[in-house]
Structures are given as structure tokens and as C-alpha cells.
Amino acid sequence: MNKTVLALLLLSVLSILLSAQTVSNLRAVLEPSCSYYIITYDLSGKAGDEYLINLTPYQGNQEISNLRYASGQGIDAATTAGKDLQIFWHPGLEGEKPGNWQFRIAASVSLMVRVEGGTFM
């Protein structure tokens, strides 16, 4: 019995890892005329899943979480896996100066489900 439970647990973990989303090919360019960053990334994942993106800019020991002025694919609304997805971030609107900002991106599966309008109990 214990071997069966262990085998099922291992298979569950393996299936989660194989279907996990992966962010790769992260590139960031500072637009010199407006001082905002264009962050481009690739997102791989399970077909049909939608993902929400968490962007974290950092430079040196400084890290900014809970951005107010980021927008783009996966930020404003859930996105599907794809290549060359883009996010825009303006450090000046966050009260920061443009500089040598680097970025971390984490993707999580969106748990939102579309529900048709009507009366509910």
C-alpha cells in the first residue's frame, strides 16, 4: 500500500513539473525618448491555460514589488503561452529613476473561470 501511495505521489509531482509554465528569453530595453522599459519574454505552458504575470524590477539591493504602473500581456489580463510577449514599465511613475533595472518574471496559472451572466444561488 505504501509503495502505491508513493508511486502516485511521484507521478503527481512529475505531471505538475511537466505541465509547469516556463518564462524564458527575457529581454528589456529602455526607451530613451520616454524613459520606460519594454520587457519582452517567451512563455511556454500547457495549451489552453491562461497565465498571470508577476513582474519584479530590481537593481542592486533595491527591489520593487506590487507595481502600479506596469501593463501588458499577462499584467492587465491573463495571457496564453507564446513568444515575444511584452510588458511596459515606467520607473518614473513609480517614483524611481531609470537606470540599470533588471527584471524577474514569474507566471502562474489563472484560476478564473468564465461564468455566463444570470441569476445564481
Side-chain angles (χ1 to χ4, degrees):
M1 179 71 175
N2 287 339
K3 288 182 183 180
T4 304
V5 171
L6 183 59
L8 288 173
L9 181 62
L10 267 166
L11 285 173
S12 297
V13 169
L14 184 60
S15 70
I16 289 170
L17 289 175
L18 289 175
S19 67
Q21 61 280 359
T22 304
V23 175
S24 61
N25 200 18
L26 179 63
R27 291 118 35 223
V29 175
L30 177 61
E31 174 60 44
S33 62
C34 300
S35 297
Y36 69 89
Y37 284 89
I38 302 170
I39 301 115
T40 307
Y41 65 100
D42 296 342
L43 176 63
S44 62
K46 188 175 167 187
D49 279 353
E50 292 189 331
Y51 301 94
L52 297 174
I53 300 299
N54 182 14
L55 176 70
T56 305
Y58 66 95
Q59 103 180 317
N61 292 330
Q62 183 181 9
E63 179 175 293
I64 302 175
S65 56
N66 301 322
L67 298 176
R68 294 173 296 177
Y69 298 102
S71 63
Q73 293 168 293
I75 301 283
D76 300 322
T79 188
T80 56
K83 293 189 180 287
D84 296 326
L85 303 174
Q86 289 189 325
I87 297 173
F88 305 93
W89 178 63
H90 197 301
L93 296 176
E94 303 281 354
E96 301 293 335
K97 294 184 181 191
N100 295 321
W101 289 100
Q102 296 179 322
F103 301 92
R104 279 191 292 276
I105 292 181
S108 59
V109 176
S110 173
L111 299 177
M112 291 186 221
V113 177
R114 179 171 171 74
V115 177
E116 293 296 324
T119 305
F120 301 94
M121 291 186 71

